[in-house]
Coordinates of all heavy atoms in Angstrom, one line a residue:
A1 N 0.8 -1.2 0.0 CA 0.0 0.0 0.0 C 0.9 1.3 0.0 O 2.0 1.3 0.6 CB -0.9 -0.1 1.2
T2 N 0.4 2.3 -0.7 CA 1.1 3.6 -0.8 C 0.2 4.7 -0.3 O -0.9 4.7 -0.7 CB 1.7 3.8 -2.0 OG1 2.5 2.7 -2.4 CG2 2.6 5.1 -2.1
Y3 N 0.7 5.6 0.5 CA 0.0 6.8 0.9 C 0.8 8.0 0.6 O 2.1 7.9 0.6 CB -0.3 6.7 2.4 CG -1.2 5.5 2.8 CD1 -0.6 4.4 3.1 CD2 -2.5 5.8 3.0 CE1 -1.4 3.3 3.5 CE2 -3.4 4.7 3.3 CZ -2.8 3.4 3.6 OH -3.5 2.3 3.9
T4 N 0.2 9.0 0.2 CA 1.0 10.2 -0.1 C 0.4 11.5 0.3 O -0.8 11.7 0.6 CB 1.1 10.3 -1.7 OG1 2.1 11.4 -2.0 CG2 -0.2 10.7 -2.4
M5 N 1.3 12.5 0.6 CA 0.9 13.9 0.9 C 2.0 14.8 0.5 O 3.1 14.4 0.3 CB 0.6 14.0 2.4 CG 1.7 13.7 3.2 SD 1.4 13.8 5.0 CE 0.8 15.5 5.1
V6 N 1.6 16.1 0.4 CA 2.7 17.1 0.0 C 3.0 17.8 1.3 O 2.2 18.2 2.0 CB 2.1 18.1 -1.0 CG1 3.1 19.3 -1.3 CG2 1.6 17.4 -2.3
D7 N 4.3 18.0 1.5 CA 4.8 18.8 2.6 C 4.7 20.3 2.0 O 5.6 20.8 1.2 CB 6.3 18.6 2.8 CG 6.8 19.4 4.0 OD1 6.2 20.4 4.3 OD2 7.8 19.0 4.6
Q8 N 3.7 21.0 2.4 CA 3.5 22.3 1.9 C 4.4 23.3 2.4 O 4.4 24.5 1.9 CB 1.9 22.7 2.2 CG 1.0 21.8 1.5 CD -0.5 22.2 1.6 OE1 -0.9 22.5 2.8 NE2 -1.1 22.1 0.5
E9 N 5.2 23.0 3.4 CA 6.2 23.9 3.9 C 7.3 24.1 3.0 O 8.0 25.0 2.9 CB 6.8 23.5 5.2 CG 5.7 23.4 6.4 CD 5.2 24.7 6.8 OE1 6.0 25.8 6.9 OE2 3.9 24.8 6.9
T10 N 7.7 23.0 2.3 CA 8.7 23.1 1.2 C 8.4 23.1 -0.2 O 9.2 23.3 -1.0 CB 9.6 21.7 1.6 OG1 8.9 20.6 1.3 CG2 10.2 21.7 2.9
C11 N 7.1 22.9 -0.4 CA 6.6 23.0 -1.9 C 6.8 24.4 -2.4 O 6.5 25.4 -1.7 CB 5.2 22.5 -2.0 SG 4.4 22.9 -3.6
I12 N 7.4 24.5 -3.6 CA 7.7 25.9 -4.1 C 6.7 26.2 -5.3 O 7.0 27.1 -6.0 CB 9.2 26.0 -4.6 CG1 9.5 24.9 -5.7 CG2 10.1 25.9 -3.4 CD1 10.9 25.2 -6.3
A13 N 5.7 25.4 -5.3 CA 4.7 25.7 -6.3 C 5.2 25.6 -7.7 O 4.9 26.4 -8.7 CB 4.0 27.1 -6.1
C14 N 6.0 24.6 -8.0 CA 6.7 24.4 -9.3 C 5.7 23.9 -10.3 O 5.8 24.1 -11.5 CB 8.0 23.5 -9.2 SG 7.5 21.8 -9.3
G15 N 4.7 23.2 -9.8 CA 3.6 22.8 -10.8 C 3.9 21.5 -11.5 O 3.1 21.1 -12.3
A16 N 4.9 20.8 -11.2 CA 5.2 19.5 -11.9 C 4.3 18.4 -11.5 O 3.9 17.6 -12.4 CB 6.7 19.1 -11.6
C17 N 4.0 18.3 -10.2 CA 3.3 17.1 -9.7 C 1.9 17.0 -10.3 O 1.5 15.9 -10.8 CB 3.2 17.0 -8.3 SG 2.6 18.5 -7.4
G18 N 1.1 18.1 -10.4 CA -0.2 18.1 -11.0 C -0.3 17.8 -12.4 O -1.1 17.2 -12.9
A19 N 0.8 18.1 -13.1 CA 1.0 17.9 -14.5 C 1.3 16.4 -14.7 O 0.8 15.7 -15.6 CB 2.0 18.7 -15.2
T20 N 2.1 15.9 -13.9 CA 2.5 14.4 -14.0 C 1.4 13.4 -13.4 O 1.2 12.4 -14.0 CB 3.8 14.2 -13.2 OG1 4.8 15.1 -13.6 CG2 4.3 12.8 -13.2
A21 N 0.8 13.8 -12.4 CA -0.2 13.0 -11.7 C -1.6 13.8 -11.4 O -1.8 14.0 -10.2 CB 0.3 12.4 -10.5
P22 N -2.2 14.2 -12.5 CA -3.4 15.1 -12.3 C -4.5 14.5 -11.5 O -5.4 15.1 -11.0 CB -3.9 15.5 -13.7 CG -3.3 14.3 -14.6 CD -2.0 13.9 -13.9
E23 N -4.5 13.1 -11.4 CA -5.5 12.5 -10.6 C -5.2 12.4 -9.1 O -6.0 12.0 -8.3 CB -5.8 11.1 -11.2 CG -6.5 11.1 -12.6 CD -6.6 9.7 -13.1 OE1 -7.5 9.0 -12.9 OE2 -5.7 9.3 -13.9
I24 N -4.0 12.9 -8.8 CA -3.5 12.8 -7.4 C -3.3 14.2 -6.8 O -3.7 14.5 -5.7 CB -2.2 12.0 -7.2 CG1 -2.4 10.6 -7.9 CG2 -1.8 11.9 -5.8 CD1 -1.2 9.7 -7.9
F25 N -2.7 15.1 -7.6 CA -2.3 16.4 -7.1 C -2.9 17.5 -7.8 O -3.1 17.6 -9.0 CB -0.8 16.5 -7.2 CG 0.0 15.5 -6.4 CD1 0.7 14.5 -7.2 CD2 0.1 15.5 -5.1 CE1 1.3 13.4 -6.5 CE2 0.7 14.5 -4.4 CZ 1.4 13.4 -5.1
D26 N -3.3 18.5 -7.0 CA -3.8 19.8 -7.5 C -3.2 20.9 -6.6 O -2.3 20.6 -5.8 CB -5.4 19.8 -7.4 CG -6.0 20.9 -8.3 OD1 -5.2 21.7 -9.0 OD2 -7.3 20.9 -8.3
Y27 N -3.6 22.1 -6.9 CA -2.9 23.2 -6.3 C -3.9 24.2 -5.5 O -5.0 24.4 -6.1 CB -2.1 24.1 -7.3 CG -1.3 23.2 -8.2 CD1 -1.6 23.0 -9.5 CD2 -0.1 22.5 -7.7 CE1 -0.9 22.2 -10.4 CE2 0.6 21.7 -8.6 CZ 0.3 21.6 -9.9 OH 0.9 20.8 -10.8
N28 N -3.5 24.8 -4.5 CA -4.4 25.8 -3.8 C -4.2 27.1 -4.6 O -3.5 27.2 -5.5 CB -4.1 25.8 -2.3 CG -2.7 26.4 -2.0 OD1 -2.1 27.0 -2.8 ND2 -2.4 26.2 -0.7
D29 N -4.8 28.1 -4.0 CA -4.8 29.4 -4.6 C -3.4 30.0 -4.8 O -3.1 30.8 -5.6 CB -5.7 30.4 -3.8 CG -7.1 30.1 -4.0 OD1 -7.5 29.4 -4.8 OD2 -7.9 30.6 -3.2
E30 N -2.5 29.6 -4.0 CA -1.0 30.0 -4.0 C -0.2 29.1 -4.9 O 1.0 29.3 -5.0 CB -0.6 30.2 -2.6 CG -1.3 31.3 -1.8 CD -0.9 31.3 -0.3 OE1 -0.4 30.3 0.2 OE2 -1.1 32.2 0.4
G31 N -0.8 28.1 -5.5 CA -0.1 27.3 -6.3 C 0.7 26.2 -5.6 O 1.4 25.3 -6.1
I32 N 0.4 26.0 -4.3 CA 1.0 25.0 -3.5 C 0.2 23.7 -3.6 O -1.0 23.8 -3.6 CB 1.0 25.4 -1.9 CG1 1.8 26.7 -1.7 CG2 1.6 24.4 -1.1 CD1 3.3 26.6 -2.1
A33 N 0.9 22.6 -3.8 CA 0.2 21.4 -4.1 C -0.4 20.7 -2.9 O 0.0 20.9 -1.8 CB 1.2 20.5 -4.7
F34 N -1.4 19.9 -3.2 CA -2.0 19.0 -2.2 C -2.5 17.7 -2.9 O -2.8 17.8 -4.1 CB -3.1 19.7 -1.3 CG -4.3 20.1 -2.2 CD1 -5.3 19.3 -2.2 CD2 -4.4 21.3 -2.8 CE1 -6.5 19.6 -3.0 CE2 -5.5 21.7 -3.6 CZ -6.5 20.9 -3.6
S35 N -2.6 16.7 -2.1 CA -3.3 15.5 -2.6 C -4.8 15.7 -2.6 O -5.4 16.0 -1.6 CB -2.8 14.3 -1.7 OG -3.7 13.2 -2.0
I36 N -5.3 15.5 -3.8 CA -6.8 15.5 -3.9 C -7.5 14.2 -3.4 O -8.7 14.2 -3.3 CB -7.3 15.9 -5.3 CG1 -6.8 14.8 -6.3 CG2 -6.7 17.2 -5.7 CD1 -7.2 15.1 -7.8
L37 N -6.7 13.2 -3.1 CA -7.3 12.0 -2.8 C -7.9 12.1 -1.3 O -9.0 11.4 -1.1 CB -6.3 10.9 -2.6 CG -5.5 10.6 -3.9 CD1 -4.4 9.5 -3.7 CD2 -6.3 10.1 -5.0
D38 N -7.3 13.0 -0.5 CA -7.9 13.0 0.9 C -7.6 14.3 1.5 O -7.3 14.4 2.7 CB -7.3 11.9 1.7 CG -5.8 11.9 1.6 OD1 -5.2 12.9 1.2 OD2 -5.2 10.8 1.8
A39 N -7.6 15.5 0.7 CA -7.4 16.8 1.2 C -6.0 16.8 1.9 O -5.8 17.5 2.8 CB -8.5 17.2 2.1
N40 N -5.1 16.1 1.3 CA -3.7 16.1 1.8 C -3.4 15.6 3.2 O -2.5 15.9 3.8 CB -3.1 17.5 1.6 CG -1.6 17.5 1.4 OD1 -1.1 16.7 0.6 ND2 -0.9 18.3 2.1
T41 N -4.3 14.8 3.6 CA -4.2 14.2 5.0 C -3.3 12.9 4.9 O -2.8 12.4 5.8 CB -5.5 13.9 5.6 OG1 -6.3 13.1 4.7 CG2 -6.2 15.3 5.9
G42 N -3.2 12.3 3.7 CA -2.4 11.2 3.6 C -3.0 9.9 4.1 O -2.2 9.0 4.5
I43 N -4.4 9.8 4.3 CA -4.9 8.7 5.0 C -5.6 7.7 3.9 O -6.0 6.7 4.3 CB -5.8 9.1 6.0 CG1 -7.0 9.9 5.4 CG2 -5.1 10.0 7.1 CD1 -8.1 10.2 6.4
T44 N -5.6 8.1 2.6 CA -6.3 7.4 1.7 C -5.2 6.6 0.8 O -4.4 7.3 0.2 CB -7.2 8.2 0.8 OG1 -8.2 8.8 1.6 CG2 -7.8 7.4 -0.3
E45 N -5.4 5.3 0.8 CA -4.5 4.5 0.0 C -4.6 4.9 -1.5 O -5.6 5.0 -2.1 CB -4.9 3.0 0.1 CG -3.7 2.1 -0.5 CD -4.1 0.6 -0.2 OE1 -5.0 0.4 0.7 OE2 -3.6 -0.2 -1.0
V46 N -3.4 5.0 -2.1 CA -3.3 5.4 -3.5 C -3.6 4.1 -4.4 O -2.9 3.0 -4.1 CB -1.9 5.9 -3.9 CG1 -1.8 6.2 -5.4 CG2 -1.6 7.1 -3.1
S47 N -4.6 4.1 -5.2 CA -4.9 2.9 -6.0 C -3.8 2.5 -6.9 O -3.0 3.3 -7.3 CB -6.2 3.1 -6.8 OG -6.0 4.2 -7.7
E48 N -3.8 1.3 -7.1 CA -2.6 0.7 -7.9 C -2.4 1.4 -9.3 O -1.3 1.5 -9.7 CB -2.8 -0.9 -8.1 CG -1.9 -1.7 -7.1 CD -2.3 -3.2 -7.3 OE1 -2.2 -3.6 -8.4 OE2 -2.6 -3.8 -6.2
D49 N -3.5 1.7 -10.0 CA -3.4 2.2 -11.2 C -2.9 3.6 -11.2 O -2.5 4.2 -12.3 CB -4.8 2.2 -12.0 CG -5.9 2.9 -11.2 OD1 -6.0 2.7 -10.0 OD2 -6.6 3.7 -11.8
L50 N -2.7 4.2 -10.0 CA -2.2 5.6 -10.0 C -0.7 5.6 -9.4 O 0.0 6.6 -9.4 CB -3.0 6.5 -9.1 CG -4.4 6.8 -9.5 CD1 -5.1 7.7 -8.5 CD2 -4.3 7.5 -10.9
E51 N -0.2 4.3 -9.1 CA 1.1 4.3 -8.4 C 2.2 4.7 -9.3 O 3.2 5.3 -8.9 CB 1.3 2.9 -7.8 CG 0.4 2.7 -6.5 CD 1.1 1.7 -5.6 OE1 2.2 1.3 -5.9 OE2 0.4 1.4 -4.6
E52 N 2.1 4.4 -10.7 CA 3.2 4.8 -11.6 C 3.2 6.3 -11.7 O 4.3 6.9 -11.6 CB 2.9 4.2 -12.9 CG 4.2 4.2 -13.8 CD 4.0 3.3 -15.0 OE1 3.4 2.1 -14.9 OE2 4.4 3.8 -16.1
D53 N 2.0 7.0 -11.8 CA 2.0 8.4 -11.8 C 2.6 9.0 -10.6 O 3.3 10.0 -10.6 CB 0.6 8.9 -12.0 CG 0.1 8.9 -13.4 OD1 0.9 8.4 -14.4 OD2 -1.0 9.2 -13.7
L54 N 2.3 8.4 -9.5 CA 2.8 8.8 -8.2 C 4.3 8.8 -8.0 O 4.9 9.8 -7.7 CB 2.1 8.1 -7.1 CG 2.6 8.4 -5.7 CD1 2.3 9.9 -5.4 CD2 2.0 7.5 -4.6
E55 N 4.8 7.8 -8.6 CA 6.3 7.6 -8.5 C 6.9 8.6 -9.4 O 8.0 9.2 -9.1 CB 6.7 6.2 -9.0 CG 7.1 5.3 -7.8 CD 7.4 3.9 -8.2 OE1 8.3 3.8 -9.1 OE2 6.8 3.0 -7.7
D56 N 6.4 8.8 -10.6 CA 6.9 9.8 -11.5 C 6.9 11.2 -10.9 O 7.8 12.0 -11.0 CB 6.2 9.9 -12.8 CG 6.4 8.6 -13.7 OD1 7.4 7.9 -13.4 OD2 5.7 8.4 -14.6
A57 N 5.8 11.6 -10.2 CA 5.6 12.9 -9.6 C 6.6 13.0 -8.4 O 7.3 14.0 -8.2 CB 4.2 13.0 -9.0
F58 N 6.8 11.9 -7.7 CA 7.8 11.8 -6.5 C 9.2 12.1 -7.0 O 9.9 12.9 -6.5 CB 7.7 10.4 -5.9 CG 8.7 10.1 -4.8 CD1 8.6 10.6 -3.6 CD2 9.9 9.5 -5.1 CE1 9.5 10.4 -2.6 CE2 10.8 9.2 -4.1 CZ 10.6 9.8 -2.8
D59 N 9.5 11.4 -8.2 CA 10.9 11.6 -8.7 C 11.0 13.0 -9.3 O 12.1 13.6 -9.4 CB 11.1 10.6 -9.9 CG 11.2 9.2 -9.4 OD1 11.5 9.0 -8.1 OD2 11.0 8.3 -10.1
G60 N 10.0 13.6 -9.8 CA 10.0 14.9 -10.5 C 10.0 16.1 -9.6 O 10.2 17.2 -10.1
C61 N 9.6 16.0 -8.4 CA 9.5 17.1 -7.5 C 10.9 17.7 -7.1 O 11.7 16.9 -6.5 CB 8.7 16.8 -6.3 SG 8.6 18.2 -5.1
P62 N 11.2 18.9 -7.4 CA 12.6 19.5 -7.2 C 12.9 19.6 -5.8 O 14.0 19.9 -5.5 CB 12.6 20.8 -8.1 CG 11.0 21.1 -8.0 CD 10.3 19.8 -8.1
T63 N 11.9 19.7 -4.9 CA 12.1 20.0 -3.5 C 11.9 18.8 -2.6 O 11.9 18.9 -1.4 CB 11.3 21.2 -3.0 OG1 10.0 20.9 -3.2 CG2 11.8 22.5 -3.7
D64 N 11.7 17.7 -3.2 CA 11.3 16.4 -2.5 C 10.1 16.7 -1.4 O 10.1 16.1 -0.4 CB 12.6 15.9 -1.6 CG 13.6 15.4 -2.5 OD1 13.3 15.0 -3.7 OD2 14.8 15.5 -2.2
S65 N 9.2 17.4 -2.0 CA 7.9 17.7 -1.1 C 6.9 16.7 -1.1 O 6.0 16.7 -0.3 CB 7.5 19.0 -1.5 OG 8.4 20.1 -1.3
I66 N 7.1 15.8 -2.1 CA 6.0 14.7 -2.1 C 6.4 13.6 -1.3 O 7.4 13.0 -1.5 CB 5.7 14.2 -3.6 CG1 5.2 15.4 -4.4 CG2 4.9 13.0 -3.7 CD1 5.1 15.1 -5.9
K67 N 5.7 13.3 -0.2 CA 6.0 12.3 0.7 C 5.3 11.1 0.5 O 4.0 11.1 0.2 CB 5.7 12.8 2.1 CG 6.4 14.1 2.5 CD 7.9 14.1 2.3 CE 8.6 15.4 2.7 NZ 10.0 15.4 2.4
L68 N 5.9 9.9 0.6 CA 5.3 8.6 0.4 C 5.5 7.8 1.7 O 6.5 7.9 2.4 CB 6.0 7.8 -0.7 CG 6.0 8.6 -2.1 CD1 6.7 7.6 -3.2 CD2 4.6 8.8 -2.6
A69 N 4.5 7.0 2.0 CA 4.7 6.1 3.1 C 3.8 4.8 2.9 O 2.8 4.7 2.1 CB 4.1 6.8 4.4
A70 N 4.3 3.8 3.6 CA 3.5 2.5 3.4 C 2.2 2.5 4.4 O 1.4 1.6 4.4 CB 4.4 1.4 3.8
E71 N 2.2 3.4 5.4 CA 1.2 3.5 6.3 C 0.6 4.9 6.3 O 1.2 5.9 5.7 CB 1.7 3.4 7.7 CG 2.5 2.1 8.0 CD 1.5 0.9 8.0 OE1 0.3 1.2 8.3 OE2 1.9 -0.2 7.6
P72 N -0.7 5.1 6.6 CA -1.4 6.3 6.6 C -0.6 7.4 7.3 O -0.1 7.1 8.5 CB -2.7 6.2 7.2 CG -2.9 4.6 7.1 CD -1.6 4.0 7.1
F73 N -0.6 8.6 6.8 CA 0.0 9.8 7.6 C -1.0 10.4 8.6 O -1.4 11.5 8.6 CB 0.4 10.9 6.6 CG 1.5 10.6 5.6 CD1 1.3 10.0 4.5 CD2 2.8 11.0 6.0 CE1 2.4 9.8 3.6 CE2 3.8 10.8 5.2 CZ 3.7 10.2 3.9
A74 N -1.4 9.5 9.5 CA -2.6 9.9 10.3 C -2.3 11.0 11.3 O -3.2 11.7 11.7 CB -3.1 8.6 11.0
N75 N -1.1 11.1 11.7 CA -0.8 12.0 12.8 C 0.0 13.2 12.4 O 0.4 13.9 13.2 CB 0.0 11.3 13.9 CG -0.8 10.1 14.4 OD1 -2.0 10.1 14.6 ND2 -0.2 9.0 14.6
I76 N 0.0 13.5 11.1 CA 0.7 14.6 10.6 C -0.2 15.7 10.2 O -1.0 15.6 9.3 CB 1.7 14.3 9.5 CG1 2.6 13.2 9.8 CG2 2.4 15.6 9.0 CD1 3.5 12.6 8.6
P77 N -0.3 16.9 11.0 CA -1.2 17.9 10.8 C -0.9 18.8 9.5 O 0.1 19.6 9.7 CB -1.3 18.7 12.0 CG 0.1 18.5 12.6 CD 0.6 17.2 12.1
V78 N -1.4 18.7 8.4 CA -1.2 19.5 7.2 C -2.6 19.7 6.6 O -3.5 19.0 6.6 CB -0.4 18.7 6.2 CG1 -0.2 19.5 5.0 CG2 1.0 18.4 6.8
T79 N -2.7 21.0 6.2 CA -4.0 21.4 5.6 C -3.8 21.6 4.1 O -2.7 21.8 3.5 CB -4.6 22.7 6.1 OG1 -3.6 23.7 5.8 CG2 -4.7 22.7 7.7
A80 N -5.0 21.4 3.4 CA -4.9 21.6 1.9 C -4.8 23.1 1.5 O -4.7 23.4 0.4 CB -6.1 20.8 1.3
G81 N -4.9 23.9 2.5 CA -4.9 25.3 2.2 C -6.1 25.8 1.5 O -6.1 26.7 0.7
Ligands
F3S1 FE1 5.3 21.5 -5.1 FE2 7.0 19.6 -5.9 FE3 4.5 19.7 -6.8 S1 7.5 21.7 -5.5 S2 4.0 21.8 -6.9 S3 5.0 19.4 -4.6 S4 6.3 19.0 -7.8

């Protein structure tokens, strides 16, 4: 299982992730990315058909702001902005 969320403290709004994985990432009014799967809470498992896009987005983020985990990010407070 894979879970994902964006570290909005380090995201520089480069815009790569939403282009690479539009079914996973979108941007708030300031261009900062968030996961649309679960309002960037990282508690919703990424479906298998999206995992390749997710990996590409992970590899393509210039600030390593896309976080991946095998378990839900249940205890990390981040908002979708
Ligand atoms: Fe931000 Fe990285 Fe996406 S900098 S806009 S999380 S590719």
Side-chain angles (χ1 to χ4, degrees):
T2 305
Y3 298 83
T4 187
M5 62 183 297
V6 175
D7 183 343
Q8 298 187 314
E9 299 294 318
T10 60
C11 171
I12 58 171
C14 84
C17 54
T20 303
E23 291 173 87
I24 305 174
F25 300 107
D26 200 357
Y27 315 106
N28 69 16
D29 288 345
E30 293 170 343
I32 302 298
F34 64 94
S35 165
I36 60 179
L37 300 178
D38 51 21
N40 209 45
T41 52
I43 60 172
T44 299
E45 186 176 343
V46 179
S47 61
E48 260 177 53
D49 56 313
L50 292 179
E51 284 207 7
E52 199 171 314
D53 279 358
L54 176 59
E55 256 178 54
D56 289 345
F58 176 80
D59 290 340
C61 178
T63 57
D64 294 329
S65 297
I66 295 174
K67 304 304 180 187
L68 304 181
E71 301 291 330
F73 289 88
N75 300 317
I76 304 173
V78 176
T79 65

